[in-house]
Amino acid sequence: MKCLAPVFRYSRAALAGLSMAGSLMIGCISSANAAMVSITDPAVRAVPPTSTNTAAFMTLQNKGKDDIKLVGVDSSIAARVEIHGHRHEGHKMVMFKMDDLPLPAGKEVRLESGGYHIMIMGLKKTLKEGEEVPLTLHFSDSDAIDILAPVKPLMETMSKDPHGHMHH
Ligand SMILES: [Cu+2]
């Protein structure tokens, strides 16, 4: 079964208890392209306890022959997770919410500080360095990949609270 593949995949059933086993099986069977996207170097930026927002970074590689898109991300540790990009507006960089992130066939797309990122908003708890954050990435081919992204101290290239006034 393809759903047992890559390193960062883990069983949702193991995480959530056996009651999830049924839906996990359905997810695997219906997912024809289960290993099309490989995810490397996932990380979540460590933030002070006063901050309720952070961001996740990683490299996504579409190993398939078809262009697909990252269409959504969710996590049990936050109220809301969005796909964000950055663009220049005058002299400053501002973030914007993206409906999806295109992943061209055979290409690698980097999510990094100051570029595309996964915005994690409304943290339900303080993240400790080294802790692993569960994220589920949803793709346009209806595949979903679960990863664990370790919390790391990452260089802050944006303003102190880059997202504070941007979100409702
Ligand atoms: Cu953002």
Side-chain angles (χ1 to χ4, degrees):
M1 286 220 320
K2 283 179 178 172
C3 56
L4 296 175
V7 179
F8 288 110
R9 238 163 237 275
Y10 63 91
S11 157
R12 272 188 233 184
L15 200 77
L18 284 174
S19 61
M20 286 293 287
S23 58
L24 177 79
M25 293 306 292
I26 292 162
C28 288
I29 290 161
S30 64
S31 178
N33 296 324
M36 280 306 167
V37 177
S38 77
I39 300 170
T40 48
D41 300 328
V44 170
R45 171 181 286 140
V47 289
T50 49
S51 178
T52 55
N53 295 336
T54 186
F57 309 98
M58 65 197 65
T59 299
L60 300 172
Q61 190 186 4
N62 179 359
K63 301 198 289 190
K65 291 195 184 75
D66 299 314
D67 295 347
I68 57 169
K69 292 170 177 175
L70 176 67
V71 294
V73 182
D74 47 53
S75 178
S76 57
I77 61 135
R80 200 146 54 98
V81 184
E82 293 179 353
I83 302 164
H84 280 190
H86 270 97
R87 67 178 164 227
H88 287 280
E89 246 173 47
H91 293 293
K92 54 179 188 177
M93 293 280 278
V94 297
M95 317 190 309
F96 62 99
K97 182 177 183 289
M98 301 168 73
D99 289 334
D100 51 56
L101 175 65
L103 302 171
K107 292 275 165 35
E108 200 173 85
V109 176
R110 259 166 209 268
L111 279 63
E112 55 196 354
S113 191
Y116 299 126
H117 56 281
I118 291 168
M119 192 74 221
I120 299 172
M121 287 167 289
L123 285 170
K124 293 174 182 170
K125 57 175 192 140
T126 302
L127 300 178
K128 293 192 201 72
E129 223 176 287
E131 181 178 348
E132 292 190 311
V133 173
L135 296 170
T136 302
L137 282 71
H138 300 276
F139 298 91
S140 54
D141 63 354
S142 68
D143 192 13
I145 298 180
D146 294 324
I147 63 164
L148 289 171
V151 177
K152 291 181 179 176
L154 298 165
M155 190 81 93
E156 182 65 82
T157 59
M158 299 169 284
S159 62
K160 283 268 161 44
D161 185 11
H163 308 126
H165 59 287
M166 300 274 311
H167 301 295
H168 349 275

